[in-house]
């Protein structure tokens, strides 16, 4: 406070002393004590200043107790400056707190948006915060379960042991609380005894890994079988004298096994190409009638007169897509029907245009049919309803996988209807955007 700040206070003191002096002279004249004026002036100044300062302190304390609802009390002198400095410090603190609160809210919102679960534990393993993903993974309530011990809420013995052991180098795999997937859980210590529990749904990754293992095992098995046969025949031909009929029979069998391996490799390459190439456009149109005529001719050649094959009328329609892929999908269905339908059975290739504009290409047979429990897995690679029969007919176990991928790429789907002893019906559904009337 500068010298100028003292002037009002000095003026007030002087005024009070002067007033006290006048009052003291009057009282001293009446009482006969003239010195009383000096003492009364000084005492009056001190008392007045104490009262004024007390009132100012009271106003300031009342403002502080009320948690600063408005501006600080305005006054001159030291108390006015002190109130202003306190008000400025409090406003600065409030701005800092608001900024920190905003940053914390943004940080928690970012964690909330994470596809992984985040769970915060205190030094006693009590839940202090969790996002919605973690709450779903561990079946928690983000509000009700706060400050609850995590081991009382998540009762997996492996999780409790993992948390208590304190060795968090490797993640822990758990079955989801919903019972429909697998969770990868890892714990990271931080702060003063605090822990961060991170959870991730790895169901699809585990399923893909299992499919990869099965795929490698199946491919190895499918290739090893014909190679074993070929190796045995080569050893036989090189070590034993064979007659001409025996030699021709061995070469025929070797040719069949070689062709089986070539078919397997061809189907694997087709699948790889379907999975790695972009989705076909809707601007390449194919005539449906020539397509059906070509497929019917190939199916009759494969059947060689052993079945009654019917090809339905399609009219002047066109399909949008890749011709080779559509031929591959339909021919796979027809070849399966020829392989598994007994001699004398019926096979029909038909077309239907639905009322909503989507198209249906169906292959119906009178074969032995497929049990209901096998239908959901028919399009899995190398899945066989009857493995021995499939190998006898020359199938690779990849045909329906190719059909499914072709339909997915064209925005459609494969539907299967079958009953044991009643035959099967495989239907390719094409969206309306890929079906149109042919131009005149």
């Amino acid at each position: 406070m500068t010298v100028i700040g003292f002037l009002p206070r000095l003026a007030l003191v002087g005024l009070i002393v002067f007033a006290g002096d006048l009052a003291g002279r009057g009282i001293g004249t009446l009482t006969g004590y003239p010195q009383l004026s000096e003492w009364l002036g000084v005492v009056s100044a001190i008392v007045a200043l104490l009262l004024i300062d007390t009132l100012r302190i009271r106003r300031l304390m009342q403002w502080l107790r009320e948690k600063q609802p408005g501006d600080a009390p305005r006054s001159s002198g030291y108390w006015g400056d002190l109130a202003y400095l306190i008000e400025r410090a409090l406003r600065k603190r409030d701005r800092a707190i608001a900024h920190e609160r905003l940053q914390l809210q943004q940080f928690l919102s970012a964690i909330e948006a994470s596809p992984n679960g985040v769970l915060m534990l205190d030094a006693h393993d009590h839940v202090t915060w969790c996002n919605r993903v973690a709450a779903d993974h561990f079946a928690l309530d983000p509000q009700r379960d706060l400050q609850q011990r995590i081991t009382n809420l998540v009762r997996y013995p492996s999780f409790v042991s993992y948390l208590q052991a304190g060795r968090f180098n490797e993640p822990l795999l758990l079955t989801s609380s919903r019972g429909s997937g697998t969770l990868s859980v890892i714990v990271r210590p931080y702060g003063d005894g605090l822990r961060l529990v991170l959870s991730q749904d790895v169901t699809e990754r585990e399923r893909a890994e299992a499919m990869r293992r099965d795929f490698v095992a199946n491919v190895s098995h499918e290739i090893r079988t014909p190679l074993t046969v070929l190796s045995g025949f080569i050893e036989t031909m090189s070590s034993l004298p064979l007659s001409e009929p025996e030699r021709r029979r061995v070469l025929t069998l070797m040719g069949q096994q070689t062709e089986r391996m070539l078919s397997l490799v061809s189907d694997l390459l087709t699948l790889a190409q379907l999975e790695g190439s972009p989705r076909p456009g809707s601007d390449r149109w194919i005539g449906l009638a020539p397509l059906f005529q070509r497929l019917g001719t190939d199916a009759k050649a494969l059947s060689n007169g052993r079945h009654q094959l019917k090809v339905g009328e399609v009219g002047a329609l066109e399909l949008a897509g890749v011709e080779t892929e559509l031929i591959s999908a339909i021919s796979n269905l027809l070849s399966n029907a020829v392989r598994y339908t007994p001699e004398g059975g019926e096979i029909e290739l038909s077309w239907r245009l639905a009322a909503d504009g989507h198209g249906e290409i169906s292959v119906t047979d009178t074969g032995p049919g497929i049990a209901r429990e096998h239908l959901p897995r028919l399009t899995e690679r190398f899945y066989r309803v009857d493995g021995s029969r499939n190998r006898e007919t020359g199938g690779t176990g990849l045909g329906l996988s190719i059909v499914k991928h072709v339909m997915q790429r064209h925005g459609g789907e494969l539907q299967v209807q079958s009953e044991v002893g009643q035959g099967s019906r495989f239907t390719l559904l094409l969206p309306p955007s890929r079906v149109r009337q042919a131009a005149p």
Side-chain angles (χ1 to χ4, degrees), residues 138-151:
F138 297 108
L140 303 177
D141 188 310
Q143 302 300 326
R144 184 192 62 202
D145 293 332
L146 290 181
Q147 302 306 321
Q148 298 292 320
R149 194 175 181 87
I150 187 63
T151 52

Side-chain angles (χ1 to χ4, degrees), residues 205-219:
R205 189 178 73 187
E206 291 294 309
R207 184 179 293 119
E209 182 64 21
M211 290 177 61
R212 184 192 66 81
R213 290 193 299 267
D214 292 343
F215 177 74
V216 172
N218 285 324
V219 169

